[in-house]
Amino acid sequence: MPAAQNATLVSVALDAAQAPPLYVQLFEQVRDLILSGRLKPRQRLPSTRALAKDLNVSRTTTLAAYEQLMSEGYIEGREGSGAYVAAMLPEDLLLVRTRSDGVAFNAQALDGIDDREEKTQILPFNSSGQDVRLFPFAEWSRLLAKSWRSPRPELLHQQRGFGHLPLRRAIAAHLRELRGVECTAAQVVITSSAAQSVSFLMRTLLGRGDTVFVEDPGYPTIYRALEDLGAATVATPVDAQGFTVPDYDRPSPAPSAAIITPSRQYPLGMTMPLARRLEVLNWAEATGTWIIEDDYDSEYRYVGRPLSALMSLDRSGRVIYVGSFSKSMFKSLRLGFIILPLALIDRARDTLYTLGTSASANAQPALAEFIASGQFAAHIRRMRRIYSERQQSLREALDTELAGLLEVPRQSAGMHLPVFFSKELAARISDTQARVLLAGADVTAEPLSPHYKEMKPRQGLLLGFAAFAPDEIRAAVLRMAQVLK
Ligand SMILES: Cc1ncc(COP(=O)(O)O)c(C=O)c1O
């Protein structure tokens, strides 16, 4: 692999064994030196003869490369005095290749960054989802292939309605059966996520500056979505029964909404008892507040039957149900849904007309069949058993290894366990510092305190257990104990 000796082109190296042809390799390398600023405008280049000698290639090669550089405007020839880098390079060419702070564009390094993001490893106790190693991909890919072998034309055009009708029917049937929600496909809107459902509902129900009550602590993604929409959020404390009912005095005649997680409060994990549910419904009716029921992981209850949704108790049409497939399928599927009260269907159609849909139609037919054929319910049943064991393994390991440092609540639902710092641990370290130290021991632990908005934050960690086998859980708890002790 001959390399140039001449100082200006010292980095050029050609390899006859590699494609493309040598003259193209030379052209590309000189062009890149110019674009990255390492060869400066008006800088003199070696003669084609000298360079050929230097690189141990024929002069035809160097001549062909220089001709190409010249015809594309990178270099200029001066009669009798050789070749120079062009004095004026097309400006937009340089702007494309050079960052505004003057740092040379380094495609390889940027490629590397993307690569690292792609490969992010899911370490215990990442709480973002379920164990995808146990997902029935053979069946899922069969359903995807089937729906795309000869796709129905409407799937390929701009999506105008509330989503793929068979999927909306399947969701309505699933919720009627499992959660007691009396609804039909006409009330179901397919969205791309819970956060998008909330934005959609805000635009349907409220204007900028209208009041939205949010749970404190709560889900920061939703806080951020509301801030983006210009809503006036009112942080509402959560007690042992969940969302506490605010004052009956309306702050203003403007409409208002409350976003709550009655089935399993996020992030603390308690379930709202019936008496509190009825209190919330009475308050909503009396004050004209819309209740958005965020039901993000209620499929996973490990004792008794699945809970009835708050929407199933609502007689005044004020509850809107928001569901997501992020936890029950997998996060990157990016499909969620809304169940609207009948009175809101027309208003939602207007919103959809303005915003368009953001949910991709690609996987909707496959998901419809996955649910309608009973495979979704079977998958959930199977995972419920597995996750229940995993939650038990986590609790036992924490009780054995970290007793006295962490308080572990008794919960038998969900995919993450919130654990609280003892006074002693909280005096030594904050939960955000703990996250950094634990990351050094290959443990991912989401701190609890950033989930608080205005209430005094408790120090703790959210430990996702669903995606990890019992031995992975025990090994990670041992690493945690080493760090926290
Ligand atoms: C409280 C809460 N709501 C909703 C969701 C679902 O979010 P999305 O559908 O935006 O992925 C999650 C997921 O982690 C959550 O924690």
Side-chain angles (χ1 to χ4, degrees), residues 192-195 219 221-222 261 266 294 296 324 326-327 331 334:
S192 62
S193 65
Y219 185 34
T221 307
I222 301 272
T261 49
Y266 186 84
D294 176 5
Y296 61 100
S324 168
S326 286
K327 300 268 191 191
K331 187 100 181 163
R334 298 285 78 202

